[in-house]
Amino acid sequence: MARTPTTQQLKDWDRRYLWHPFTQMREWEQEEPLIIERGKGSYLIDTEGKKYLDGTSSIWVNLHGHRHPTLDRAIKKQLDKIAHSTFLGLSNPPAIELARELIRIAPKGLTRVFYSDNGSTAVEIALKMAVQYWQQQHPETGPKHTFLHLKLAYHGDTIGAVSVGNIDLFHARFKPLLFPTVEVEPPHCYRCPLKLTYPSCNIACMEPIADILKNRHRELAGVIIEPIMQAAAGMIPQPPGYLKRIRELCTQYKVLLIVDEVATGFGRTGKMFACEHEGVTPDLMALSKGLTGGYMPLAATLTTDAIYQGFLGRYDEFKTFFHGHSFTGNPLGCSVALANLHVFRQEKTLARLATKIKFFSRLLAPLAAIPRVGDIRQRGFMVGIELVKEKTTKAPYPLSAKVGHRVSAIARSKGLILRPIGNVLVLMPPLSISKGELKKTVEILKQSIETLQINSYSNDDTHNNR
Ligand SMILES: *Cc1c(COP(=O)(O)O)cnc(C)c1O
């Protein structure tokens, strides 16, 4: 075995050989990369032994904490049998058992599981299934292959997922590669484009969606939406009744509802799936992030019997769904996902979460008094805190001021890892976080917001702000 590299060597090699996601590498090369070596519960531990609260659940994936004994054991046990075998033409026990469990807990009416390895592919699969389903369903009618989605939507970074997304900063450059879609304004209550207030607005922003479905349903294969909360948009919640109404419209106009629960699934919003808040069963549902408790890359696209049946036929009818990945149904991932669901039952995660969510709200409430806090948006254990230059006008800080980034840097020096979205500070702690740790998380965040010195910044790039 080679000698363990020193922290300094690792930092040098990182800056020399790596290209990090969503990162301006010129800045990265000037900074000291933080190198995480271990984890325990709600904490990340760097190569020097320094501990940090994992305020993002390692980008929204971790649920029961790091090094959970049940999850650790599940992987080790599976490793003693086999790490991977293909799902093309073969099957394996953990993938079979997990599918059964997922169908047991999924919204009623979802009956089939198709595996892949990340949230983007789970979305791609849903889109492709929808398009192929309609081709096989009504070959005589015109092509039904367009999708309706919300502006500011984020469904992943592969080309199909980007096509149904709309975050300018991430997506604009790839326009030439994207397929055309239909977009509508999301229900952004803090900055309502209609200048109305909920509930007196009666969810007026639903009207354009109803109109589009009425007029263009013949070309629409599906509506895709992040239910309850548009996460990567900067934590934009939907008013109660919104998702349910979309479900009704989709049913009425025979358009498939694709729900992207990649961020919201597995307890994040307080229920196992966000759809449950509205009693909605989608036609297709994409899952990933929390599926393995944040341990392994695994994803699943769930669908109904009606869609599944639409793909059955003689071999030479070629109704087969020609899609798959090298690591589809990976046994290690499926084993730890099964253990994840086991922990939910064993530790009564959701029941205990309910009181923690209320506690979290109480901790967050006083932050509203800070002059530069414009809005606090919470759905369960998903929180966005929007910083504004001026509270009354909601005038945003220019992106060049990097306020979210700078607050996060202060928080890191105080032992809390955050990853902001522009001017929105995001808190997504593991569901297992203790009340004491949660208190500490919010306390550090509060101090960091208050400490930030803002004196000068270029003031001409507010156009990029949402
Ligand atoms: C993270 C995310 C994705 C993409 O998942 P990856 O595993 O990063 O590809 C898709 N949809 C939503 C809502 C997400 O939050």
Side-chain angles (χ1 to χ4, degrees):
M1 283 284 267
R3 204 163 47 84
T4 313
T6 63
T7 299
Q8 197 49 54
Q9 278 175 318
L10 290 169
K11 285 181 179 178
D12 292 345
W13 297 343
D14 181 297
R15 285 179 294 220
R16 176 151 358 139
Y17 298 112
L18 281 173
W19 189 342
H20 285 263
F22 285 96
T23 301
Q24 175 43 257
M25 290 305 291
R26 191 163 82 178
E27 286 175 8
W28 181 269
E29 286 181 29
Q30 313 295 316
E31 291 167 13
E32 288 289 303
L34 177 57
I35 305 174
I36 300 302
E37 190 178 64
R38 300 161 184 277
K40 184 81 187 139
S42 307
Y43 286 92
L44 300 169
I45 304 161
D46 72 10
T47 44
E48 302 293 290
K50 188 160 185 246
K51 282 171 73 180
Y52 303 85
L53 281 159
D54 189 355
T56 74
S57 293
S58 296
I59 292 294
W60 317 354
V61 299
N62 193 283
L63 303 178
H64 309 296
H66 299 283
R67 298 292 328 267
H68 191 288
T70 308
L71 302 188
D72 286 10
R73 208 177 313 121
I75 293 185
K76 288 175 182 162
K77 215 172 134 199
Q78 180 58 38
L79 204 48
D80 282 337
K81 296 174 185 158
I82 191 169
H84 182 67
S85 58
T86 182
F87 223 51
L88 280 63
L90 298 174
S91 199
N92 70 69
I96 296 167
E97 284 181 64
L98 176 62
R100 185 164 174 265
E101 285 295 310
L102 285 174
I103 293 308
R104 215 176 53 77
I105 61 168
K108 203 166 177 295
L110 295 173
T111 58
R112 289 279 167 179
V113 176
F114 193 101
Y115 290 118
S116 57
D117 12 275
N118 60 70
S120 309
T121 55
V123 167
E124 298 277 348
I125 288 162
L127 300 174
K128 286 171 76 175
M129 277 183 176
V131 166
Q132 188 174 338
Y133 170 76
W134 287 119
Q135 285 174 3
Q136 290 166 178
Q137 201 63 12
H138 297 293
E140 72 285 354
T141 61
K144 203 168 160 65
H145 59 213
T146 311
F147 292 92
L148 172 64
H149 62 89
L150 300 182
K151 289 188 178 164
L152 302 183
Y154 179 79
H155 296 293
D157 292 332
T158 53
I159 295 302
V162 169
S163 294
V164 292
N166 176 282
I167 295 185
D168 254 9
L169 198 59
F170 306 165
H171 300 158
R173 290 194 184 275
F174 306 109
K175 268 264 148 60
L177 301 182
L178 308 181
F179 55 73
T181 59
V182 186
E183 299 171 347
V184 288
E185 288 293 338
H188 193 350
C189 296
Y190 179 59
R191 298 177 187 279
C192 177
L194 305 173
K195 309 254 185 300
L196 298 172
T197 326
Y198 180 83
S200 62
C201 66
N202 249 321
I203 318 188
C205 54
M206 187 59 78
E207 276 164 38
I209 300 183
D211 284 345
I212 290 166
L213 278 160
K214 182 165 174 238
N215 298 323
R216 301 182 67 174
H217 62 91
R218 277 171 216 87
E219 57 184 291
L220 284 174
V223 173
I224 181 164
I225 187 167
E226 296 162 77
I228 307 298
M229 185 78 122
Q230 284 188 286
M235 300 296 157
I236 301 178
Q238 294 149 14
Y242 189 85
L243 183 68
K244 198 176 165 66
R245 182 74 189 118
I246 289 193
R247 171 71 275 183
E248 288 164 2
L249 288 165
C250 285
T251 305
Q252 181 182 350
Y253 291 110
K254 291 192 168 52
V255 172
L256 301 179
L257 175 61
I258 304 171
V259 159
D260 177 352
E261 291 248 16
V262 172
T264 52
F266 300 99
R268 263 294 144 202
T269 65
K271 295 197 184 280
M272 188 55 94
F273 300 109
C275 286
E276 294 173 29
H277 291 279
E278 303 263 308
V280 159
T281 296
D283 298 290
L284 291 143
M285 179 159 98
L287 299 174
S288 187
K289 292 196 168 100
L291 173 57
T292 60
Y295 266 55
M296 299 276 293
L298 184 72
T301 306
L302 273 54
T303 193
T304 61
D305 197 50
I307 293 186
Y308 174 75
Q309 293 289 334
F311 285 75
L312 302 184
R314 283 193 329 273
Y315 181 79
D316 59 6
E317 286 178 86
F318 300 116
K319 286 184 173 182
T320 304
F321 186 52
F322 290 106
H323 184 113
H325 299 280
S326 314
F327 286 98
T328 297
N330 173 253
L332 286 174
C334 292
S335 303
V336 73
L338 267 171
N340 169 37
L341 299 182
H342 180 73
V343 172
F344 265 99
R345 285 191 300 271
Q346 195 178 39
E347 299 185 357
K348 301 192 169 43
T349 304
L350 291 176
R352 288 164 63 191
L353 189 60
T355 57
K356 261 191 255 183
I357 289 169
K358 292 203 187 93
F359 182 71
F360 202 179
S361 308
R362 284 202 300 277
L363 291 174
L364 290 167
L367 271 63
I370 302 174
R372 56 176 63 130
V373 170
D375 196 21
I376 301 176
R377 302 187 279 265
Q378 180 188 14
R379 285 288 185 277
F381 257 39
M382 302 177 89
V383 173
I385 299 167
E386 181 164 340
L387 302 181
V388 289
K389 199 160 74 175
E390 216 196 292
K391 210 158 176 155
T392 45
T393 60
K394 302 179 183 179
Y397 285 110
L399 277 192
S400 58
K402 294 179 73 185
V403 291
H405 181 91
R406 286 159 61 200
V407 169
S408 303
I410 298 169
R412 179 185 294 194
S413 72
K414 296 175 186 291
L416 168 66
I417 300 293
L418 297 176
R419 177 91 187 170
I421 300 169
N423 297 330
V424 179
L425 300 169
V426 173
L427 274 185
M428 291 266 252
L431 310 186
S432 59
I433 193 168
S434 71
K435 285 187 175 177
E437 290 163 349
L438 201 52
K439 207 171 155 197
K440 193 168 155 192
T441 300
V442 176
E443 187 52 42
I444 295 177
L445 181 79
K446 181 168 177 282
Q447 285 173 8
S448 306
I449 297 172
E450 286 171 340
T451 312
L452 178 69
Q453 300 286 329
I454 302 173
N455 14 45
S456 67
Y457 36 75
S458 67
N459 44 23
D460 241 4
D461 66 347
T462 43
H463 66 279
N464 251 333
N465 263 289
R466 300 182 298 274

